[in-house]
Amino acid sequence: MKNKIKVLFVVISYFQSLLLAVDIVKSNGSEIAVRQIIESTRSITYYNGEISWANFDYSRFESTIKEMQDMGANTIWFVLPWIDFQAQALPEPQWNEKAVENLNNAITIVQTQGMRVMLPLCYLGKGWSPKGIDPNVWTADKDMYQAFGLYAKTLITRLLQNGNDNMSFLLYGEGCYPSFHRTREYQITVKSFRKWCRDNNDDINFWNSRWGTCYKWDNLLPFTGKTASDKENTQNLLADYWRWSSSIICERHGSLAHEIRGIIGNKALIGYHDDAIIAKDWGGGVTPIPKDNPYQFLSFAHYYTLHEYGSLDKFVLQTNDVITKFKKLYPEMPLGIFETGLCEQDFDRNNQANVISEIAHIAERKDVGINIWMWQDHITGDKCQQTFGLITQNGKKKPAYLMLHKIWQKGNN
């Protein structure tokens, strides 16, 4: 009897250890799955600037999905103007139920096709901000940011209730920093900047020496791109604007990201998309990522311009350097170049194809995801904004489309 009990104990212990091992595998598998999803992302932005989500064109979208898949894409980036889903955010939110329904249905269609969606949450600005939200100062204003947080959490919850598990959400910096040229027009940003300065160094002489100014604490102002004299240090003034802005994003988005993690569980992903603070080091080493990093992946915007790079070779070199920087700072974080492409304003279509080819090859070699801006030319915005497409307004495939199709299809073989 004792031997039987002993054998039973051993068997039970074995199965307990097996179950524990399964849990560990599940945990590790989850981490591996996130990395695989992000690093294997081949995404294209789907955007029809003249069409709101309340008037979503399903027939056009369904045919586009098939074309995207045929060229090798596995993910679609949706543009989600806040105003499309809430005409008013304050004092009480007013939801556009049709827009939410259409987004839900579009995500379901994408999942049915075995693809994922990228859902950036902070799209606002002139014409895209709901009533009650001032895009110049919304992250600095507690009430406005709380309204955004409620909007984001409610929208995410409603999308999850639809049963889809193919979603990656993004918070980011662009459009979220206090408006560079208007920071002095608002007491809330003036007070915020003064507080940031005091918190970092409460000696006013330190700041005056750093900036070449003669402020007192009660008249200190944030930089707006103009200097009062040749003695002012523009480089330091600008760097401190970005350091202050980064601190706002770090606190606001970081806190919200923790809340979103609690909502999504293992049903979706939440990442941070950087435009300049890390990628271009505009803040001199600061980061908008909190120390208790709540994000599951990181990404950055990276466009080629003649003004900034001068040559494609320099752009390629810089692209590799930025990837190295991110991987050094955040070695455990999956990474994507989730906003890149080239418009035709200063280039021809062959240049566009060459740039997209180079960056697609880099993403492949460096094991980072990629999102190309965008699928099709449209009529909204200036010439540059209109002509990022891989296909023309009438559906003609550009050289960039053919080049990307070749690269992605080869990678699938």
Side-chain angles (χ1 to χ4, degrees), residues 385-404:
Q385 292 171 326
Q386 294 173 9
T387 58
F388 273 96
L390 297 172
I391 64 176
T392 64
Q393 289 183 35
N394 61 13
K396 182 180 179 181
K397 296 173 182 176
K398 299 182 186 179
Y401 174 102
L402 301 174
M403 189 76 76
L404 192 60

Side-chain angles (χ1 to χ4, degrees), residues 124-139:
L124 71 162
K126 187 176 180 180
W128 283 17
S129 303
K131 291 180 180 178
I133 302 299
D134 186 336
N136 293 301
V137 293
W138 70 283
T139 50

Side-chain angles (χ1 to χ4, degrees), residues 3-210:
N3 287 338
K4 288 182 179 179
I5 293 173
K6 186 176 181 181
V7 170
L8 182 62
F9 176 76
V10 170
V11 171
I12 291 172
S13 298
Y14 169 76
F15 279 107
Q16 285 177 332
S17 65
L18 194 62
L19 288 171
L20 180 59
V22 169
D23 287 339
I24 292 172
V25 169
K26 283 182 178 178
S27 175
N28 290 340
S30 176
E31 293 174 6
I32 292 170
V34 174
R35 184 170 294 279
Q36 288 175 337
I37 288 169
I38 298 305
E39 293 180 351
S40 65
T41 295
R42 293 171 174 176
S43 177
I44 305 172
T45 299
Y46 182 81
Y47 175 53
N48 298 309
E50 67 276 17
I51 300 173
S52 73
W53 275 96
N55 301 308
F56 190 74
D57 188 334
Y58 287 107
S59 60
R60 180 179 180 181
F61 178 60
E62 288 180 294
S63 63
T64 298
I65 290 180
K66 292 176 178 146
E67 292 180 69
M68 287 182 174
Q69 275 190 308
D70 287 344
M71 74 172 300
N74 58 22
T75 304
I76 299 174
W77 171 301
F78 283 141
V79 176
L80 309 176
W82 185 359
I83 197 170
D84 279 9
F85 302 95
Q86 285 187 342
Q88 175 176 296
L90 291 172
E92 294 292 334
Q94 294 178 0
W95 285 88
N96 187 320
E97 296 299 334
K98 186 61 178 177
V100 177
E101 178 187 347
N102 286 342
L103 176 59
N104 248 325
N105 291 341
I107 293 170
T108 300
I109 292 169
V110 175
Q111 178 157 305
T112 301
Q113 296 299 318
M115 299 177 72
R116 294 185 61 82
V117 290
M118 200 76 67
L119 303 171
L121 296 166
C122 316
Y123 276 118
L124 71 162
K126 187 176 180 180
W128 283 17
S129 303
K131 291 180 180 178
I133 302 299
D134 186 336
N136 293 301
V137 293
W138 70 283
T139 50
D141 185 284
K142 181 180 177 181
D143 292 337
M144 291 184 195
Y145 194 85
Q146 283 183 342
F148 169 74
L150 179 60
Y151 155 73
K153 290 181 289 184
T154 303
L155 181 63
I156 290 170
T157 300
R158 296 184 65 176
L159 296 178
L160 289 171
Q161 288 171 346
N162 210 40
N164 297 311
D165 60 1
N166 63 334
M167 297 176 286
S168 297
F169 297 98
L170 281 171
L171 296 172
Y172 45 95
E174 184 181 1
C176 302
Y177 311 120
S179 178
F180 180 58
H181 295 291
R182 301 191 62 184
T183 50
R184 296 182 178 183
E185 298 177 23
Y186 298 85
Q187 276 300 303
I188 192 166
T189 43
V190 170
K191 289 179 179 179
S192 173
F193 183 71
R194 288 176 185 171
K195 182 179 185 305
W196 176 84
C197 291
R198 277 186 179 272
D199 289 344
N200 281 272
N201 193 314
D202 61 3
D203 182 359
I204 191 66
N205 294 320
F206 167 84
W207 299 107
N208 283 325
S209 175
R210 177 173 169 78

